[in-house]
Amino acid sequence: MNPAEDYILNQPEPYRSILLHAQVIIEHTIPNVELKYKWKIPCYYVGKRPICFLNASHKNEFVDIAFWHSNYITKYTEHLVSENRKVVKSLRYKTLDAVNDTVLISILKQVNSNKEDGFYKKKY
């Protein structure tokens, strides 16, 4: 088992269930996605391009599903949290029931379709 899977499986509830659900959605939505362990958290990549990372915040009691290519997300932006971050935006969930699969899948598809572009969207 790789360290990213260990991270997910060793989380207490409800974090483990949320992370496992997110893992299934991500791996079924994006072909060829690879789960890696970077910065002590699970990160998803397609080739060398980052898609998202997962973080269980025990202090703040939520799971973050964060996207580097957030500037390319045009649908469901009202669900994203930036919290003073310049590039990364995330979906945050405190319970498994709060996870909206439709929103997560849509955002994953948007990010995946722009993974070859830079993190910052150029304005013309």
Side-chain angles (χ1 to χ4, degrees):
M1 192 173 327
N2 75 34
E5 291 171 337
D6 283 340
Y7 174 95
I8 292 169
L9 293 174
N10 289 324
Q11 294 297 318
E13 290 297 343
Y15 309 105
R16 181 182 327 125
S17 294
I18 298 168
L19 290 165
L20 285 169
H21 184 78
Q23 184 179 16
V24 169
I25 297 293
I26 294 164
E27 292 176 7
H28 280 89
T29 302
I30 301 176
N32 305 316
V33 73
E34 184 181 357
L35 179 61
K36 297 183 178 187
Y37 191 68
K38 298 200 176 217
W39 308 288
K40 298 183 181 184
I41 56 174
C43 299
Y44 277 100
Y45 281 75
V46 173
K48 293 184 178 183
R49 300 294 185 174
I51 299 297
C52 64
F53 65 84
L54 309 175
N55 183 37
S57 176
H58 296 232
K59 178 182 174 187
N60 296 313
E61 299 180 340
F62 60 75
V63 168
D64 230 4
I65 304 173
F67 307 94
W68 285 283
H69 287 82
S70 62
N71 286 329
Y72 298 95
I73 300 170
T74 57
K75 295 179 185 175
Y76 302 112
T77 57
E78 67 275 10
H79 296 275
L80 296 171
V81 176
S82 64
E83 200 163 86
N84 299 321
R85 296 178 288 194
K86 292 181 181 179
V87 177
V88 175
K89 292 185 181 173
S90 60
L91 296 170
R92 289 192 174 160
Y93 301 110
K94 292 186 177 235
T95 66
L96 182 57
D97 290 338
V99 179
N100 183 325
D101 292 351
T102 302
V103 170
L104 179 55
I105 290 167
S106 175
I107 289 175
L108 286 166
K109 287 179 178 179
Q110 291 175 72
V111 169
N112 188 49
S113 68
N114 290 290
K115 68 182 174 292
E116 299 300 327
D117 300 322
F119 294 151
Y120 294 101
K121 188 176 186 179
K122 294 180 182 176
K123 297 178 183 174
Y124 296 101

